[in-house]
């Protein structure tokens, strides 16, 4: 022992140590103060029940509340709270949202609250989360981890093959109808055996047979369809307790937004992860037979679960969503607590009263007391158009007025409609008047033939067993491998028990195949093998895509065509390559890439990741991210279904006609009508400050004009809340002036054909003027532009031309408007002037 040693136990009294200790205490005190400040910040701007939900610990928690009461805000804050205050590892959090877009927004908000750590959390849709689990675990159930995901069009193609094989009359058994039935079975976790056992009549037996054979073919193709993604994950967790334990240990916190729209399979998934006794799920199917089962070792306690939702906003019953999941939460998770939120922070009282009045017509719901202290605000504005064009023109003009007179930006405005097809009319007029907009969903970019062909190439490259994709492209473009040759190859595959791809490689062995076909197949196989080498070398998805389009002769085929549509197809393919390039450049973009690897920069998103993203995005009713990354300042057009969870200062709810909204299909069915009414509730409650409701007296549906009566939901709005700007259709050839006598000014919705009330005609005059102005605009010469030219645009101001494609009527210019971003404009319509 050295002389400098001190008496044991009293070391801390030596001078330097005391100083250090003091500093530590000070820093602990300051970090405690920091923590307190952070905690306060996280709870800032929350009311009492919202705070209670954020800090709740332990038993499962249900937050039920009407629209705009802060459910999503609570969920987001809770994630931040878990990470910072409860020291949860970000990797132990699983948050489920309804769309990829909502997931991205939530992630961004959490990242703002807790920083970069947020990146390794799983914030995603059910589908994305399950795909990630399956990529790791699916080999246990006989798939390889490179499985393909079939979207609805692929599924239909496969089902057609199945029905054909079963020799079923295509008129009686339509692939769509059978698939619908199969999808319901999957959402209820009934596998083909269960469905066959349950079948109680000939029709069901036939469906079950189709289901069995469809599943077999999916398995042969190493592919899953959308519903399989969830069902397979649940079966995996049920059948392999050791796998379940891995995920129960991993996800200590599970949070689900929009819980009212979960279906049985999704409920079962949550139950597997969070229940005390995961084997006791409500009507759960028995675990997959033949599985190892066995002991899972020591079990961990249940994970903490929070779900938030609103039974009044359940709008996906047609996809198997089950309101019971929210109504029965307390039975499903004994010892659950429930928190109610009653203050709405989104909308004015006027908007809220209107929405409450409408939803109040649904039977058997729990009444809510939702209130707002935002004041009454503006009255709701109503408009009745002569036809859908008139309605759209009203919307465009009103947006214009709001931007001029009330400081509203186009980005504050959303236009909702019931079905995708209704967007076209709005797009037309918006393009004409130069109002910037985007359509969310409905563009169905990924359903265009050329896009699907291109993806078909990529998919069969990623997974050669994917027969649907391979057969889609084997003779596209036409290369002399006709139906007969394909049938010979299929027979060979069946005879030798190999995949279609393997059979193609040895096509010369096929019976009865023509030498010409064998040669054509040989060169196709050569091209594919060459492309496969690029995949094996981990080449970027965009590079592979371009090579595939080029070497397959696909581009050359389109370029040689003089069909104007093929020009658009080329543009769409260019767009797809751009999407792939953007994806490859963004290392955060790969949903299946392990986030920790991504963070370390060791993994680049590959072809498989790209295909996964595309499959998931295409389903979620979304368009790919705008290539400009430009997301503000444009009017959003979307269906009511897509609008769920979102909010906008100004909302136009259009097409309020019986037969349109509520949808024709729902008119004779009370429960479907109630679902439509919930959809109306969703639509009305998206608005923060201004709400417009409109309808058209005549609407062309599939070419034929139809006269639809006003939507019954309009009747349900309190009369004094609505300021009808125009209630009658203008005099038209089909109107009968005598009917007008029944028109009373107190009735907000006069009968069809009522004469234009005096004093309202000036609107028609204005409309005519607007029309004339637009015609003049349309007739003006198309500016001839070249890259580098300076231009002036009515809305975006000064810009510089970047590129010009196409000629004359079809010329499209990309113009850089500085802070407004780069816009692609069709010059025939765009209000631009060359300087
Ligand atoms: P929906 O049912 O439509 O999904 P929601 O219940 O999820 O709605 P949020 O979107 O979370 O509601 O919140 C609605 C709006 O109210 C948001 O703009 C949110 O920021 C705001 N908000 C929520 N709680 C508060 C609060 N305590 N104070 C101020 N604003 C709030
Ligand atoms: Mg929400």
């Amino acid at each position: 022992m050295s002389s400098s040693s001190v008496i044991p136990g009293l070391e801390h009294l030596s001078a330097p140590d005391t100083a250090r200790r003091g500093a530590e205490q000070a820093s602990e005190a300051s970090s405690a103060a920091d923590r307190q400040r952070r905690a306060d910040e996280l709870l800032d701007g929350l009311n009492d029940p919202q705070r209670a939900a954020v800090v709740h610990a332990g038993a499962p928690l249900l937050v039920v509340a009407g629209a705009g009461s802060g459910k999503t805000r609570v969920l987001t804050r809770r994630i931040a709270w878990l990470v910072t205050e409860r020291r949860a590892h970000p990797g132990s959090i699983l948050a489920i949202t309804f769309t990829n877009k909502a997931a991205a927004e939530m992630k961004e908000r959490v990242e703002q609250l807790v920083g970069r750590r947020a990146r390794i959390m799983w914030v995603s849709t059910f589908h994305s989360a399950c795909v990630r689990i399956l990529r790791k675990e699916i080999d246990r159930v006989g798939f390889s981890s490179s499985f393909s995901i079939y979207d609805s069009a692929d599924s239909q193609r496969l089902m057609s093959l199945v029905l054909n094989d079963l020799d079923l009359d295509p008129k009686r058994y339509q692939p769509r109808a059978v698939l619908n039935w199969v999808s319901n079975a999957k959402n209820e976790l009934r596998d083909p055996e269960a469905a066959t056992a349950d079948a109680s009549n000939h029709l069901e037996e036939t469906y079950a047979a189709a289901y069995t054979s469809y599943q077999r073919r999916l398995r042969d193709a190493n592919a899953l369809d959308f519903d399989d993604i969830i069902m397979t994950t649940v079966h995996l967790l049920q059948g392999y307790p050791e796998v379940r334990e891995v995920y129960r240990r991993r996800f200590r916190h599970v949070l689900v937004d929009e819980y009212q729209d979960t279906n049985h399979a999704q409920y079962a998934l949550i139950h597997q992860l969070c229940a005390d006794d995961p084997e006791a799920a409500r009507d759960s199917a028995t675990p997959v037979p033949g599985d190892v089962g066995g002991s899972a070792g020591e079990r961990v306690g249940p994970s903490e679960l929070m779900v938030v939702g609103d039974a009044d906003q359940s709008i996906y019953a047609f996809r198997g969503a089950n309101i019971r999941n929210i109504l029965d939460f307390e039975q499903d998770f004994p010892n659950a607590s429930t928190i109610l939120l009653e203050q709405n922070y989104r909308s004015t009282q006027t908007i809220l009263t209107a929405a409450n009045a409408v939803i109040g017509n649904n039977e058997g719901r729990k009444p809510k007391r939702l209130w707002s202290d935002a004041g009454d605000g503006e009255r709701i504005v109503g408009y009745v158009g002569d036809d859908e064009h008139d309605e759209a023109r009203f919307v465009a003009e009103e947006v214009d007025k709001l931007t001029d007179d009330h400081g509203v930006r186009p980005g504050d405005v959303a236009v909702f409609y019931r079905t995708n097809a209704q967007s076209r009319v709005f797009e037309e007029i918006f393009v004409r008047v130069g109002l910037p907009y985007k359509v969310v969903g409905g563009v169905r970019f990924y359903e265009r033939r050329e896009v699907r062909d291109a993806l078909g190439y990529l998919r069969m490259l990623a997974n050669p067993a994917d027969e649907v994709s391979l057969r889609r492209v084997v003779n596209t473009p036409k290369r002399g491998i006709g139906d007969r040759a394909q049938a010979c190859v299929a027979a060979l595959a069946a005879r030798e028990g190999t995949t279609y791809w393997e059979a193609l490689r040895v096509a010369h062995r096929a019976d009865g195949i023509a030498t010409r076909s064998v040669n054509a197949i040989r060169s196709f196989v050569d091209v594919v093998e060459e492309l496969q080498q690029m995949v094996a070398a981990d080449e970027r998805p965009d590079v592979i895509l371009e090579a595939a389009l080029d070497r397959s002769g696909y581009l050359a085929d389109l370029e040689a065509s003089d069909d104007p549509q093929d020009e658009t197809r080329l543009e769409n393919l260019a767009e797809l390559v751009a999407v792939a390039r953007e994806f490859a450049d963004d290392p955060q973009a790969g949903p299946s890439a392990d986030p920790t690897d991504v963070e370390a920069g060791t993994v680049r998103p590959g072809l498989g990741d790209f295909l996964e993203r595309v499959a998931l995005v295409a389903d979620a009713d979304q368009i790919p991210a705008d290539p400009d990354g430009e997301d503000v300042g444009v009017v959003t057009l979307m269906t009511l279904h897509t609008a769920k969870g979102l909010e906008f200062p100004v909302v136009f709810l259009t097409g309020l006609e019986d037969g349109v909204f509520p949808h024709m299909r729902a008119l004779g069915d009370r429960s479907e009508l109630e679902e439509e009414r919930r959809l109306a509730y969703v639509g009305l409650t998206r608005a923060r400050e201004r709400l417009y409701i409109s309808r058209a007296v005549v609407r062309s549906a599939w070419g034929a004009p139809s006269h639809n009566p006003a939507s019954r939901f309009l009747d349900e709005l309190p009369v004094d809340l609505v300021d009808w700007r125009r209630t009658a259709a203008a005099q038209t050839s089909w109107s009968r002036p005598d009917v007008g006598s029944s028109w009373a000014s107190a009735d907000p919705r006069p009968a069809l054909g009522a004469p234009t009330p005096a004093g309202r005609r000036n609107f028609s005059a204005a409309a005519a003027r607007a029309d004339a102005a637009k015609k003049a605009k349309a007739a003006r010469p198309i500016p001839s532009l070249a890259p580098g030219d300076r231009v002036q645009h009515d809305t975006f101001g000064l810009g510089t031309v970047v590129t010009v494609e196409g000629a004359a009527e079809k010329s499209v210019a990309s113009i850089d408007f500085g802070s407004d971003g780069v816009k692609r404009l069709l010059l025939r319509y765009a209000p631009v002037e060359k300087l």
Side-chain angles (χ1 to χ4, degrees):
M1 200 177 265
S2 82
S3 61
S4 66
S5 71
V6 289
I7 304 158
L10 296 179
E11 312 89 322
H12 62 282
L13 290 180
S14 71
D17 279 351
T18 317
R20 196 188 67 221
R21 181 68 184 213
E24 263 171 18
Q25 273 168 352
S27 96
E28 251 169 43
S30 85
S31 79
D34 268 1
R35 261 214 314 282
Q36 188 56 47
R37 203 176 51 245
R38 265 203 325 263
D40 289 347
E41 266 169 31
L42 284 180
L43 298 179
D44 208 32
L46 297 178
N47 62 32
D48 288 346
Q50 287 179 328
R51 277 171 195 231
V54 168
V55 305
H56 172 90
L61 176 66
L62 166 68
V63 178
V64 265
S69 55
K71 297 183 295 295
T72 302
R73 177 186 259 217
V74 162
L75 196 143
T76 311
R77 291 283 184 96
R78 178 173 170 85
I79 298 175
W81 179 264
L82 291 173
V83 174
T84 52
E85 293 308 308
R86 299 205 23 220
R87 307 287 173 98
H89 187 275
S92 71
I93 291 174
L94 172 63
I96 302 286
T97 63
F98 213 74
T99 60
N100 293 311
K101 182 163 178 278
E105 276 172 16
M106 183 169 292
K107 221 166 173 167
E108 195 184 311
R109 273 163 72 181
V110 176
E111 201 173 321
Q112 279 164 12
L113 295 168
V114 309
R116 275 174 58 91
R117 292 180 283 172
R119 294 194 179 179
I120 65 168
M121 289 181 328
W122 283 31
V123 182
S124 68
T125 62
F126 273 108
H127 282 104
S128 302
C130 288
V131 168
R132 283 171 77 167
I133 294 176
L134 291 175
R135 292 274 179 225
K136 278 212 159 73
E137 316 289 349
I138 200 167
D139 49 347
R140 291 163 196 270
V141 290
F143 285 81
S144 97
S145 64
S146 62
F147 63 86
S148 296
I149 301 169
Y150 277 11
D151 62 20
S152 55
D154 300 321
S155 304
Q156 271 193 46
R157 234 178 129 87
L158 185 63
M159 187 55 91
S160 309
L161 291 175
V162 165
L163 298 178
N164 207 14
D165 277 359
L166 293 176
D167 260 341
L168 292 170
D169 175 4
K171 288 210 188 66
R172 274 197 62 197
Y173 297 94
Q174 293 187 347
R176 267 174 97 104
V178 184
L179 272 177
N180 226 338
W181 189 87
V182 167
S183 169
N184 285 337
K186 290 182 178 178
N187 288 335
E188 288 158 19
L189 296 175
R190 278 187 294 134
D191 58 16
E193 293 80 44
T196 308
D198 290 352
S200 61
N201 56 41
H202 179 66
L203 185 70
E204 285 182 3
E205 280 161 15
T206 313
Y207 280 3
Y211 180 15
T212 307
S213 149
Y214 171 79
Q215 267 334 76
R216 195 166 46 233
R217 294 190 74 142
L218 278 173
R219 181 175 284 266
D220 291 346
N222 192 30
L224 300 185
D225 72 11
F226 256 89
D227 303 305
D228 282 334
I229 291 174
I230 313 280
M231 180 174 79
T232 311
T233 309
V234 174
H235 281 162
L236 202 94
L237 299 181
Q238 286 174 342
Y240 295 84
E242 71 278 17
V243 176
R244 175 172 66 216
E245 282 309 296
V246 167
Y247 290 95
R248 280 171 73 98
R249 276 171 203 279
R250 165 153 195 178
F251 297 123
R252 302 311 296 150
H253 297 278
V254 177
L255 305 96
V256 186
D257 200 358
E258 310 278 6
Y259 190 65
Q260 75 279 355
D261 281 320
T262 48
N263 60 34
H264 180 72
Q266 292 164 336
Y267 152 79
L269 180 74
I270 294 164
H271 201 269
Q272 286 297 309
L273 291 175
C274 304
D276 253 338
D277 176 7
E279 254 124 60
R282 158 167 44 98
D283 1 294
S284 104
T286 37
V288 196
D291 290 335
V292 285
S295 111
E298 205 182 315
R299 279 214 175 137
V300 293
S303 310
E304 280 193 31
L305 172 65
M306 168 162 99
V307 306
V308 312
D310 176 6
D312 287 335
Q313 294 184 65
S314 167
I315 53 175
Y316 279 96
F318 70 95
R319 282 199 196 162
N322 190 347
I323 302 194
R324 264 180 71 196
N325 289 344
I326 202 159
L327 302 179
D328 293 354
F329 187 79
E330 286 161 337
Q331 274 114 283
D332 291 338
F333 297 92
N335 75 23
S337 335
T338 299
I339 291 181
L340 302 174
L341 307 176
E342 294 184 323
Q343 180 168 0
N344 169 299
Y345 291 92
R346 177 180 295 148
S347 311
T348 64
Q349 188 60 51
T350 299
I351 291 167
L352 214 53
T353 306
N356 287 340
V358 171
I359 195 67
N361 290 285
N362 272 7
E363 284 170 20
R365 56 182 284 277
K366 283 191 197 156
K368 286 200 200 83
R369 291 179 311 171
L370 200 59
W371 56 278
S372 158
D373 69 3
D376 285 345
E378 304 289 327
R379 282 216 287 167
I380 297 167
V381 175
Y383 183 84
V384 181
D386 293 342
D387 56 23
E388 72 270 31
H389 299 283
D390 184 26
E391 183 190 28
R393 186 166 49 217
F394 166 74
V395 172
E397 282 174 0
E398 202 59 30
V399 173
D400 202 37
K401 264 192 234 147
L402 288 171
T403 49
D404 285 353
D405 305 344
H406 298 280
V408 170
R409 300 169 317 136
D412 296 335
V413 181
V415 179
F416 300 153
Y417 34 79
R418 177 66 181 82
T419 58
N420 280 314
Q422 289 166 253
S423 75
R424 198 184 49 84
V425 185
F426 292 102
E427 290 192 67
E428 249 164 45
I429 186 114
F430 287 6
V431 168
R432 247 196 280 162
V433 302
L435 192 62
Y437 71 91
K438 67 178 168 191
V439 181
V440 177
V443 170
R444 313 283 12 171
F445 177 73
Y446 289 107
E447 276 174 21
R448 297 193 177 130
R449 192 180 84 198
E450 62 281 10
V451 173
R452 302 187 55 77
D453 287 343
L455 292 173
Y457 273 100
L458 294 185
R459 284 159 152 207
M460 63 90 178
L461 289 174
N463 173 15
D466 181 346
E467 189 180 333
V468 163
S469 298
L470 184 55
R471 290 184 71 156
R472 176 175 190 103
V473 302
V474 70
N475 199 33
T476 313
K478 293 215 173 357
R479 50 171 74 89
I481 311 177
D483 288 349
R484 221 189 100 69
Q486 291 184 41
C488 294
V489 175
L492 175 67
R495 197 180 70 216
E496 303 201 346
T498 62
T499 61
Y500 194 80
W501 167 243
E502 289 305 325
L504 273 178
R505 298 180 59 185
V506 293
H508 57 275
R509 298 217 292 259
D511 287 336
I513 195 164
T515 316
R516 222 163 14 101
S517 308
V518 172
N519 291 337
I521 291 175
R522 187 68 250 159
S523 32
F524 174 70
V525 167
D526 286 345
V527 168
V528 173
E529 286 180 339
E530 191 188 329
L531 293 166
Q532 279 173 340
Q533 280 166 19
M534 297 178 75
V535 178
D538 239 354
E539 197 40 276
R540 291 166 56 100
D542 52 321
V543 175
I544 299 174
L545 175 58
E546 278 196 275
L549 293 173
D550 184 35
R551 292 183 209 164
S552 64
Y554 198 94
L555 285 185
D557 191 58
L558 288 181
E559 277 159 1
S561 155
D562 47 2
D563 178 348
Q565 268 207 327
D566 286 337
E567 208 172 305
T568 322
R569 295 207 165 97
L570 284 169
E571 283 175 18
N572 289 334
L573 290 174
E575 176 81 19
L576 185 66
V577 172
V579 171
R581 184 172 306 134
E582 195 194 32
F583 178 85
D585 287 339
D586 177 5
Q588 289 295 320
S592 76
D594 193 316
T596 37
D597 297 342
V598 168
E599 284 237 288
T602 51
V603 159
R604 236 189 17 211
L607 182 61
D609 299 311
F610 174 64
L611 287 172
E612 202 162 282
R613 164 65 67 92
V614 165
L616 296 171
V617 167
D619 180 69
D621 244 1
Q622 289 178 11
I623 45 169
D626 201 327
D628 311 340
E630 192 258 342
D631 208 17
V632 287
V634 304
V635 176
T636 307
L637 302 180
M638 63 170 95
T639 65
L640 284 152
H641 279 98
T642 317
K644 196 171 66 156
L646 307 179
E647 60 187 24
F648 298 88
V650 181
V651 163
F652 289 85
L653 190 49
T654 69
L656 279 157
E657 297 135 39
D658 261 20
V660 174
F661 185 34
H663 196 277
M664 183 77 81
R665 199 182 48 216
L667 292 181
D669 180 310
R670 198 176 63 86
S671 81
E672 292 208 25
L673 201 57
E674 296 212 331
E675 174 138 328
E676 295 284 305
R677 192 174 280 111
R678 290 192 292 270
L679 194 54
Y681 177 74
V682 168
L684 296 167
T685 53
R686 299 308 96 196
R688 297 176 63 164
E689 291 150 24
R690 290 171 195 270
L691 176 62
Y692 290 80
I693 51 180
S694 60
R695 68 179 177 101
V697 173
V698 176
R699 180 177 297 275
S700 330
W702 298 283
S706 65
H707 299 234
N708 297 316
S711 170
R712 61 196 68 195
F713 300 148
L714 291 174
D715 275 335
E716 298 169 0
L717 292 170
V719 176
D720 53 321
L721 295 184
V722 187
D723 165 20
W724 285 93
R725 292 278 179 80
R726 182 163 185 264
T727 54
Q731 200 107 14
T732 49
S733 54
W734 61 80
S735 66
R736 288 169 296 134
D738 53 305
V739 181
S741 56
S742 70
W743 187 80
S745 58
D747 180 354
R749 301 174 301 102
L752 168 66
T756 310
R760 308 227 186 221
R761 282 193 188 281
N762 52 359
F763 183 86
S764 307
R769 272 202 311 278
D771 241 6
K774 271 153 219 158
K775 283 206 185 91
K777 249 187 200 170
R780 81 200 155 80
I782 298 161
S784 109
L785 297 177
D789 283 349
R790 303 279 289 157
V791 294
Q792 167 77 33
H793 184 283
D794 286 1
T795 312
F796 304 126
L798 276 182
T800 309
V801 178
V802 186
T803 56
V804 183
E805 302 144 55
E809 294 266 279
K810 282 205 236 149
S811 53
V812 172
S814 292
I815 302 178
D816 185 349
F817 290 103
S819 58
D820 276 330
V822 178
K823 313 273 175 203
R824 285 190 82 226
L825 301 171
L826 190 56
L827 292 178
R828 179 154 52 121
Y829 293 130
V832 292
E833 203 184 325
K834 183 169 164 181
L835 297 178

